[in-house]
Amino acid sequence: MRYNGLGTATLAEHVVQRGEGILASNGAISVQTGTRTGRSPKDRFIVRDQSTADSVDWGSVNQPFNASQFSQLWRRVSTHLDEGESYGGVMHVGAHPIHYQPVHVCTQYAWHQMFARSLFIVPEEFNPRNKPVWQVLSAPDFRCVPERDGTNTEVAIIISVRERKVLIAGVQYAGELKKAMFSVMNYLLPADEILPMHCSSNVDSAGNVALFFGLSGTGKTTLSSDPDCLLIGDDEHGWGEGSVFNFEGGCYAKCINLSRQNEPVIYDAIRFGAIIENVVIDEDTREPDYSDSSLTENTRACYPRSNVEARVPINRAGEPSTIIFLTCDVSGVLPPVSILSRQAAAYHFLSGYTAQIGSTVVGSTEPYSATFSAGFGAAFLPRPARVYAELLVQRLKSFNSQVYLVNTGWIEGAYGTGKRIGIPETRKIIRATRSGEFLHVPTEHLPQLNLTIPKKIQGLDSLITNPRNAWANETDYDAGCRSLIAKFQENFSQFDVSEATISAGPR
């Protein structure tokens, strides 16, 4: 039996009645996702056919899948869903009147359908432009057989662009639903000269739009959920002429060590309509313990934008005046904030440097190691990285946006000896970038890192902007700096870009 078009309240009832989850004291549905508490990149594929053969950047990220085997596996999973209870609903991906994609989502679990209703957009009118509809199947209890199905394990996340289908099997982690459709948008939008972005976005009181790029753990969701700003979205957006628009209708926030003091918008959004994943719940009081990471560091809260009072109602806004690249630097080498030229922006966009903090990836064993991810989201980029970098530079030139590199990681020393910069301090830095303060103050150039920094940040007099001066031993800093620069250069050697872009990086 398939239940179609159920609302959030009814789906929540089904979740509890079916034993898929429990009701927490704050009104949210609490679920656990089993052994896989993050994404499974080794099980992600794109069907290779005439439509994708020459346009996808094939390799370890975008693994090819046979079209015939996909069709057979799709039929098996469809039959599996038809034999039991399932849930269906229609939604949009993309809050743009032209550049949206209509989707029909069929899930085996009620809470996955509830997740989809929160993370995708439930429109007042479905598919007004009568576009072909994407079909998404989610069957966590189906187990793939690699010898029969052509998969790597019992899990499969497969995208077929030509057939407009997404197949997710063998995995309970709901993040695969949203990231699969993010990958779809990342493939489709560049053809329309729209930059798809792994970023959050908000609007300040003056109407200025800011984008926050960053990988998991850098503060992308936290910093966009600013009590003094209106939220557009926390994770996935498109940027075209005249508009930044959210792909989603909700947020998917990390909630490890969540507190109302530091992250009031997120904390208060976790109520009825929200889902919390792999958060430890007290058996008696049903109180969530956000400090408990015994199930995973990647604890998550999914909630609709309607749970956030301070939001942009239409889920989109104008072009951004401020763009912030967030990096969690465990080496303690990078300054708290740097002012980037367009070429430097292209360099650091392609680099996508950060550290794995509470990684969203299954099997990550080095949570505080340096990592690079092109576009701050290489795992979701079907096309070559240079395509997205060129679109970024095009948009920067067109709108004259200013880009900053903000370190939300360690200062005064590396991880283990230094300290991590606090959220309140980072918020003050973000506000200074938005006000344009750093464009009118004395600056200093760091020749090795090839970064321009403000000499002082108003309201943060004790924060030393030149990281070398903040270390107890400058010789140790220099060694750490050389090591980080070598990592940047080694990583960047993979890109075929102009000498001007290469020269904008560390030397």
Side-chain angles (χ1 to χ4, degrees):
M1 177 178 181
R2 180 163 300 169
Y3 301 95
N4 287 312
L6 298 185
T8 297
T10 305
L11 286 168
E13 289 178 347
H14 280 239
V15 172
V16 175
Q17 290 168 0
R18 287 161 53 99
E20 295 177 7
I22 61 173
L23 193 67
S25 61
N26 56 13
I29 290 290
S30 173
V31 299
Q32 294 185 15
T33 64
T35 57
R36 298 194 183 222
T37 58
R39 292 183 297 104
S40 301
K42 294 180 181 179
D43 296 306
R44 176 186 177 275
F45 303 88
I46 298 176
V47 174
R48 183 165 187 160
D49 52 31
Q50 290 183 342
S51 64
T52 57
D54 298 327
S55 54
V56 169
D57 186 21
W58 301 108
S60 59
V61 171
N62 300 305
Q63 302 176 93
F65 202 84
N66 179 271
S68 176
Q69 284 186 305
F70 175 77
S71 297
Q72 294 173 34
L73 182 56
W74 180 273
R75 286 194 294 270
R76 291 188 188 102
V77 174
S78 297
T79 300
H80 174 80
L81 289 172
D82 290 341
E83 289 174 347
E85 290 186 337
S86 61
Y87 297 82
V90 291
M91 301 144 209
H92 286 177
V93 178
H96 193 283
I98 297 174
H99 300 294
Y100 72 89
Q101 291 297 323
V103 296
H104 178 272
V105 181
C106 178
T107 65
Q108 183 176 21
Y109 289 178
W111 81 264
H112 278 188
Q113 189 68 207
M114 185 176 168
F115 179 97
R117 283 182 59 85
S118 292
L119 264 295
F120 299 147
I121 298 167
V122 180
E124 292 184 6
E125 179 186 0
F126 176 69
N127 198 15
R129 299 181 70 87
N130 196 31
K131 295 184 177 186
V133 178
W134 281 80
Q135 304 292 323
V136 179
L137 295 186
S138 171
D141 292 346
F142 183 93
R143 294 291 180 266
C144 299
V145 179
E147 297 78 13
R148 179 195 66 190
D149 299 320
T151 60
N152 289 334
T153 68
E154 76 281 1
V155 171
I157 302 102
I158 310 173
I159 298 168
S160 173
V161 175
R162 184 176 62 84
E163 295 190 31
R164 292 185 173 84
K165 290 179 177 178
V166 173
L167 174 64
I168 303 170
V171 61
Q172 297 182 47
Y173 179 66
E176 299 289 9
L177 279 162
K178 71 182 246 84
K179 290 306 183 185
M181 284 308 301
F182 181 34
S183 297
V184 167
M185 297 296 276
N186 281 343
Y187 179 83
L188 297 175
L189 289 179
D192 294 323
E193 295 192 343
I194 293 174
L195 173 64
M197 305 172 293
H198 187 212
C199 74
S200 58
S201 180
N202 65 20
V203 182
D204 67 14
S205 58
N208 298 313
V209 176
L211 304 181
F212 302 82
F213 287 81
L215 297 173
S216 180
T218 57
K220 178 164 48 68
T221 298
T222 296
L223 295 169
S224 63
S225 300
D226 188 327
D228 296 329
C229 296
L230 298 180
L231 179 71
I232 302 175
D234 82 320
D235 199 39
E236 300 163 7
H237 293 79
W239 179 10
E241 186 175 354
S243 178
V244 164
F245 60 96
N246 194 357
F247 290 170
E248 302 179 296
C251 301
Y252 195 40
K254 290 177 71 69
C255 50
I256 192 69
N257 296 321
L258 178 68
S259 70
R260 179 179 273 124
Q261 178 181 357
N262 284 336
E263 301 171 271
V265 174
I266 297 173
Y267 191 96
D268 291 338
I270 304 176
R271 58 181 192 270
F272 179 76
I275 300 168
I276 48 179
E277 292 180 339
N278 301 312
V279 174
V280 174
I281 305 293
D282 185 278
E283 291 185 5
D284 296 325
T285 66
R286 299 289 179 92
E287 288 283 338
D289 184 354
Y290 296 121
S291 66
D292 192 332
S293 61
S294 58
L295 295 176
T296 177
E297 282 276 338
N298 188 36
T299 55
R300 288 279 176 170
C302 158
Y303 49 88
R305 277 184 4 111
S306 58
N307 279 20
V308 178
E309 183 176 351
R311 66 185 186 276
V312 177
I314 61 173
N315 211 0
R316 61 183 185 272
E319 297 191 57
S321 56
T322 306
I323 296 174
I324 297 155
F325 294 164
L326 299 169
T327 177
C328 179
D329 177 30
V330 291
S331 73
V333 165
L334 293 182
V337 60
S338 306
I339 307 162
L340 302 183
S341 66
R342 286 176 192 158
Q343 292 299 335
Y347 182 95
H348 286 280
F349 178 80
L350 282 169
S351 296
Y353 166 68
T354 192
Q356 296 184 21
I357 304 295
S359 177
T360 62
V361 178
V362 169
S364 176
T365 58
E366 299 182 70
Y368 292 95
S369 61
T371 188
F372 295 86
S373 182
F376 296 95
F380 320 114
L381 302 183
R383 298 180 185 270
R386 68 174 183 278
V387 171
Y388 306 96
E390 289 168 359
L391 280 170
L392 172 68
V393 172
Q394 177 182 321
R395 299 290 351 129
L396 292 178
K397 288 180 178 178
S398 175
F399 196 70
N400 199 30
S401 308
Q402 180 59 55
V403 185
Y404 300 88
L405 180 68
V406 174
N407 176 20
T408 62
W410 273 256
I411 55 175
E412 300 179 17
Y415 169 72
T417 58
K419 65 178 183 180
R420 189 169 187 185
I421 189 168
I423 293 174
E425 289 78 13
T426 300
R427 286 199 189 281
K428 290 183 179 180
I429 291 172
I430 298 300
R431 287 165 188 160
T433 66
R434 303 188 76 148
S435 70
E437 173 188 329
F438 295 145
L439 303 180
H440 306 285
V441 299
T443 60
E444 178 181 0
H445 188 71
L446 307 181
Q448 290 178 296
L449 293 171
N450 202 10
L451 292 173
T452 298
I453 65 171
K455 288 188 174 181
K456 190 176 180 180
I457 302 173
Q458 186 176 359
L460 290 174
D461 296 340
S462 62
L463 185 65
I464 301 172
T465 58
N466 186 329
R468 188 172 190 268
N469 298 336
W471 279 48
N473 188 311
E474 292 182 348
T475 301
D476 290 343
Y477 173 83
D478 291 339
C481 187
R482 288 192 297 271
S483 175
L484 181 61
I485 289 172
K487 292 175 182 177
F488 264 99
Q489 293 174 339
E490 179 183 4
N491 172 74
F492 209 79
S493 64
Q494 67 183 291
F495 300 116
D496 182 15
V497 296
S498 68
E499 184 59 37
T501 299
I502 297 172
S503 298
R507 297 166 179 168

